[in-house]
Amino acid sequence: MGKKVSLVLGGGGARGLTHIGVIDALEEAGYEIVSVSGTSIGSIVGGIYCAGKFNEYKEWVLSLSKLDVVKLMDLSFSFGGIMSGEKIMSRIEDLIGEIHIEELNLPFTAVAADLSNKKEFWFQKGKLLTAMRASMAIPSVFTPVDYDGKILVDGGVVNPIPVTPTLSDHSDLTIAVSLDGARIKDNLKDEPEESIFDSALKYLNLDSNKNSMSTVDVTSSSLSMLQHTIGRYKLAATPPDLLIEVPVNICGLFDYHKAKSLIDFGRTAMEQKLEENLF
């Protein structure tokens, strides 16, 4: 087996499907992933990988059509968020079951933001599904999670690229994937009139208007700006040995139906970095 890797997977919605390609490229190159730390979608992909259901998850996301993604968006407009996330988590539960973090194949950390105490919260034990759901709770989009008296939301609010949990690992190198890279001209993003959120509103026979759409856009853009600032600070304090940067505008927040192109992007980016850096 090749060198041992501590893998850090950042947050950023559907852009996180590039994490799948990164993992594929590492394994194909003979690297051994010995721990995973993730925020938001990074906690989803990373947790499923550590649970040994990576291939099943990849097969599922590759099968998703735009309508499939729309059907997973359980819009409820309840207190604290416009989606409950129950449909998504139910599908993930079908894949991994009721497993605890202590039972995973590898050490795993899911990062969330504790609004009650205004600090970072690490899940390193307890139910994996709960950890994932808390870590992915994008403020005002997904409802927050009430956990042990704490109100938890998306980890990107405090640590979009959580390198710190891996510092005590016995690995040869740390590889981090940021989903907040420089913008590119060519991307996979839908035009506004074809957006996933707009389609979800129509599917549920709700009014699709500019104000509804702008709510998600503003939230996504605001969180992205916040993550950019915090992420740069965190990376300067605890730099990984290798950083993969995925363009922030490569796709829309909910463009999970673009899985193949996103996975291919992640694989190519990782392969290029490995060629440039001889470890």
Side-chain angles (χ1 to χ4, degrees):
M1 185 64 72
K3 291 195 172 182
K4 297 180 178 180
V5 172
S6 293
L7 186 60
V8 180
L9 304 177
R15 299 192 300 278
L17 294 184
T18 57
H19 293 326
I20 297 174
V22 166
I23 291 172
D24 280 340
L26 283 172
E27 291 192 331
E28 290 165 8
Y31 289 82
E32 180 187 2
I33 298 171
V34 296
S35 79
V36 181
S37 174
T39 286
S40 198
I41 183 63
S43 76
I44 301 293
V45 176
I48 290 172
Y49 177 81
C50 292
K53 298 296 182 179
F54 180 69
N55 290 330
E56 291 86 343
Y57 177 69
K58 179 167 63 173
E59 182 179 346
W60 173 55
V61 296
L62 283 170
S63 74
L64 292 174
S65 66
K66 187 172 182 178
L67 181 58
D68 291 330
V69 177
V70 168
K71 289 180 178 179
L72 286 170
M73 297 174 70
D74 41 11
L75 301 178
S76 61
F77 300 95
S78 60
F79 178 75
I82 59 177
M83 285 187 282
S84 69
E86 290 180 4
K87 289 184 179 180
I88 296 171
M89 297 313 299
S90 176
R91 185 64 186 89
I92 292 175
E93 183 177 6
D94 289 341
L95 287 174
I96 66 173
E98 275 283 357
I99 190 170
H100 284 64
I101 294 175
E102 302 95 309
E103 301 169 332
L104 297 177
N105 298 328
L106 301 172
F108 172 71
T109 302
V111 176
D114 178 359
L115 297 183
S116 304
N117 298 295
K118 297 180 175 60
K119 64 181 182 179
E120 195 170 324
F121 185 85
W122 293 1
F123 280 95
Q124 294 181 316
K125 61 181 180 179
K127 293 181 179 180
L128 177 59
L129 288 168
T130 300
M132 290 175 168
R133 177 60 181 84
S135 184
M136 66 166 244
I138 301 172
S140 82
V141 176
F142 289 105
T143 53
V145 171
D146 187 342
Y147 177 79
D148 195 24
K150 304 174 181 66
I151 303 300
L152 304 179
V153 297
D154 193 296
V157 172
V158 287
N159 198 345
I161 317 168
V163 175
T164 309
T166 70
L167 293 181
S168 62
D169 288 350
H170 297 290
S171 59
D172 298 309
L173 66 155
T174 299
I175 296 177
V177 184
S178 167
L179 304 181
D180 190 43
R183 301 175 71 86
I184 55 175
K185 290 184 178 179
D186 297 324
N187 58 51
L188 308 173
K189 190 174 182 180
D190 284 333
E191 294 301 318
E193 66 271 19
E194 299 176 342
S195 73
I196 287 289
F197 187 73
D198 198 37
S199 297
L201 290 174
K202 292 178 181 177
Y203 179 78
L204 295 173
N205 294 318
L206 298 173
D207 288 335
S208 176
N209 56 60
K210 291 182 179 180
N211 289 333
S212 295
M213 188 57 218
S214 64
T215 299
V216 175
D217 280 345
V218 169
T219 298
S220 175
S221 297
S222 299
L223 184 59
S224 178
M225 188 161 62
L226 177 67
Q227 288 180 334
H228 179 79
T229 302
I230 296 175
R232 296 305 101 182
Y233 172 79
K234 292 286 188 179
L235 287 173
T238 53
D241 297 296
L242 197 61
L243 177 66
I244 308 297
E245 295 189 278
V246 176
V248 69
N249 69 327
I250 192 175
C251 70
L253 185 66
F254 298 113
D255 284 349
Y256 290 92
H257 60 296
K258 307 231 176 133
K260 185 180 186 307
S261 296
L262 290 164
I263 292 171
D264 288 345
F265 186 97
R267 179 185 290 105
T268 299
M270 187 73 256
E271 289 173 347
Q272 290 176 347
K273 280 289 184 180
L274 291 176
E275 290 178 3
E276 295 168 4
N277 300 269
L278 301 177
F279 290 103

